[in-house]
Amino acid sequence: MATIDVMPPLRLRRAVRGVILDEADRILLVQFRFPHETFWACPGGGIEPAESDEAALRRELAEEAGLATFDLGPCIWVREHVIPMLGGRWDGQAERFYLVRTPAFEPRPQFSAEELEREYVTGIRWWTVDELTTATERIAPRRTPELLTAIVRGEVPVEPVETGV
């Protein structure tokens, strides 16, 4: 009798990210520098036990960008990212991206540079769509320029769009 290997379910960390756009349709991204790769992505992070998406996003945006007051828009993107993380505690991350419209501001994270570095955050800046489209740095998810272009044209998804990695 043949045996069937059954894979255990993936341990995916729940996370939220903010697609933060200012009045000039620039997007705020943070730079993540991991030992094996560096990339720019929307700020955000893991959801603590019993924490709502909104509470987690408000905490993360204050910590990483200093953005404490904002109106939370709809969830516009989702993605599952499978990669061992946090010392093997998780097999990856399931992310929900929320639209956040805000006046332009100078990012002033609540976290110190050392605290940010412990979370692998090493930079933060505003990007235009053109800068994203021509960037030589890695942007995650890879479809961010394409998806952001649609939002700037006024095409905000009614249902969340799967971004891919």
Side-chain angles (χ1 to χ4, degrees), residues 26 30 34 50 52 59 69-70 84 96 99 120-121 129-130 143 148 153 158 160:
R26 297 182 306 162
V30 293
F34 293 100
S52 69
R59 176 181 49 76
T69 305
F70 59 88
R96 295 173 57 80
L99 182 60
Y120 304 100
V121 175
V129 172
D130 287 342
R143 291 182 59 205
L148 183 59
R153 283 194 310 253
V158 175

Side-chain angles (χ1 to χ4, degrees), residues 25-129:
D25 289 325
R26 297 182 306 162
I27 187 170
L28 187 66
L29 299 179
V30 293
Q31 183 181 54
F32 290 97
R33 187 178 309 273
F34 293 100
H36 59 285
E37 65 181 332
T38 299
F39 57 90
W40 290 87
C42 295
I47 300 171
E48 299 295 333
E51 192 175 38
S52 69
D53 282 11
E54 182 172 356
L57 189 58
R58 288 188 184 283
R59 176 181 49 76
E60 289 285 344
L61 296 187
E63 291 169 357
E64 293 180 6
L67 181 59
T69 305
F70 59 88
D71 291 328
L72 184 62
C75 179
I76 56 171
W77 304 340
V78 293
R79 85 171 181 160
E80 283 190 4
H81 184 75
V82 178
I83 183 169
M85 53 189 297
L86 299 177
R89 189 170 149 210
W90 299 101
D91 299 319
Q93 194 155 271
E95 300 174 330
R96 295 173 57 80
F97 293 74
Y98 288 87
L99 182 60
V100 175
R101 290 274 189 183
T102 184
F105 66 95
E106 185 64 34
R108 288 189 177 81
Q110 287 180 351
F111 273 8
S112 68
E114 294 78 20
E115 289 171 310
L116 289 169
E117 195 169 304
R118 278 195 296 273
E119 300 214 354
Y120 304 100
V121 175
T122 57
I124 186 167
R125 67 168 274 219
W126 292 99
W127 295 72
T128 65
V129 172

